[in-house]
Amino acid sequence: MNHAIVTGATGFVGFHLTQELLSRGVEVTALCRADSPNRSRLPSGVRTVSDLRSLPNADVFFHLAWDGASGHGRGDAVMQTANARFCLEALQAASGCGCAKFVALGTVYERLVPQILASERFGGSDFYVLSKQYASAMADKLAQKIGIGFVCCAVCHPIGRYIKPEQLMAYTVSGLLSGNSPSFGPAATFFDIVAVEDVALGLYLAGERGKRRGYYIGSGAPMRLREYLERTREILGTPTPLLIGEREDDGLRFEPGWFDTSQIAEDTGYVPRASFESAVMNTADWLNGEGRVVIDYGRE
């Protein structure tokens, strides 16, 4: 891989992917809005364009851009539908500029679609999850039609520098550090929290060596959510209690087999590099710099 295009390069995962690519000598063109407030995050040497029609020829196209990937935007049906459409437009643009492979950032939450459809109540992330699954399926078929390699990389919950304050672990860390006890449902489901730097590594490897149409990128050591929360409190060394069981159970359950990293390890040599402890501390350092803003988190 000599030249990569990245959408969402100023975002949480996109920033780290851009750094990973540059560290390996890959030229990077970032597609981002001209008025993006985070353009200053981009490392020097990154070329920027603001329109799909202005893209140069490249080898691999990494599509990470997704409005409303966290927070209240997840419940905006129109926004989420527009995201799915833009994914297909980006795929067509990738084919037009000579890319051999299109790597999309997916989410393990897509596996919850049967549970969401069976539920008799609306959850705040439903439109986000449904649109993600739709975009992945449509992009897979469109890639077959136009003859471009397609890889969708699912993740669960990356943490680290530039994490958005409304994310679960940002809410947890901010609350614990500020003395505002974070509250949760039963936190009994399996979960997987991974350093964002390892997600960036996995995406790079999928673009460089990936052979399959889908991979899961994670820590390699999933646990129940309650265990992650308790370990976070221990790492931070705070007396602030965790209010587990204070919120209503949303009924959604992840299966441990969904977090299997063996396929990406087998095909690309992926091995997570960061410990959970270091990822938590990086998250805490970033949130400290942001003023420890505590934002409520929960299913609406």
Side-chain angles (χ1 to χ4, degrees):
M1 187 191 322
N2 296 312
H3 187 179
I5 295 169
V6 181
T7 71
T10 63
F12 174 39
V13 177
F15 167 80
H16 291 88
L17 173 60
T18 299
Q19 283 200 318
E20 182 72 31
L21 291 166
L22 291 173
S23 73
R24 294 175 179 272
V26 179
E27 182 182 354
V28 178
T29 295
L31 177 70
C32 57
R33 298 185 181 94
D35 60 351
S36 170
N38 296 322
R39 286 175 71 98
S40 61
R41 286 182 183 175
L42 291 173
S44 60
V46 175
R47 174 183 177 183
T48 60
V49 296
S50 56
D51 193 297
L52 285 173
R53 295 168 295 184
S54 304
L55 293 172
N57 286 344
D59 305 308
V60 180
F61 194 116
F62 293 93
H63 181 56
L64 280 63
W66 194 278
D67 289 334
S70 61
H72 294 294
R74 286 188 168 197
D76 187 326
V78 174
M79 177 186 293
Q80 295 303 329
T81 301
N83 283 327
R85 177 173 179 173
F86 183 66
C87 178
L88 300 179
E89 292 173 348
L91 177 54
Q92 290 175 314
S95 177
C97 60
C99 291
K101 189 179 293 183
F102 184 89
V103 181
L105 180 62
T107 171
V108 75
Y109 280 74
E110 294 169 42
R111 289 180 173 265
L112 293 173
V113 166
Q115 297 178 46
I116 289 172
L117 295 177
S119 175
E120 296 183 356
R121 64 173 182 147
F122 172 72
S125 297
D126 289 357
F127 294 139
Y128 164 74
V129 176
L130 292 169
S131 293
K132 272 288 192 181
Q133 190 208 45
Y134 171 76
S136 297
M138 288 287 285
D140 187 12
K141 284 301 176 184
L142 179 58
Q144 293 173 17
K145 178 181 178 180
I146 63 180
I148 184 173
F150 174 74
V151 183
C152 186
C153 293
V155 299
C156 182
H157 192 53
I159 64 172
R161 186 183 180 198
Y162 294 135
I163 191 172
K164 293 183 178 180
E166 64 268 21
Q167 292 279 15
L168 171 62
M169 278 293 286
Y171 162 71
T172 302
V173 171
S174 293
L176 289 173
L177 291 177
S178 64
N180 297 309
S181 292
S183 60
F184 311 89
T189 191
F190 279 92
F191 210 62
D192 191 28
I193 298 177
V194 60
V196 67
E197 294 87 354
D198 285 332
V199 172
L201 170 64
L203 287 168
Y204 162 75
L205 291 172
E208 178 70 13
R209 307 174 193 168
K211 304 173 184 177
R212 311 186 198 211
R213 289 153 63 184
Y215 292 107
Y216 176 73
I217 302 172
S219 70
M223 300 186 292
R224 294 191 184 275
L225 179 55
R226 174 190 290 267
E227 295 178 74
Y228 276 117
L229 299 175
E230 291 172 344
R231 283 191 61 191
T232 299
R233 183 171 178 267
E234 293 173 1
I235 291 166
L236 296 176
T238 171
T240 307
L242 295 161
L243 303 182
I244 296 175
E246 288 289 310
R247 294 180 183 248
E248 183 182 359
D249 185 0
D250 64 12
L252 300 177
R253 296 292 183 269
F254 294 92
E255 298 294 335
W258 296 354
F259 308 117
D260 183 4
T261 59
S262 62
Q263 290 187 336
I264 191 169
E266 177 183 341
D267 288 354
T268 73
Y270 169 78
V271 177
R273 300 174 296 190
S275 67
F276 178 67
E277 290 76 9
S278 65
V280 168
M281 294 309 300
N282 283 341
T283 302
D285 289 344
W286 165 247
L287 294 172
N288 274 334
E290 290 295 284
R292 295 183 182 174
V293 177
V294 178
I295 295 181
D296 190 34
Y297 176 93
R299 192 175 185 192
E300 301 171 355

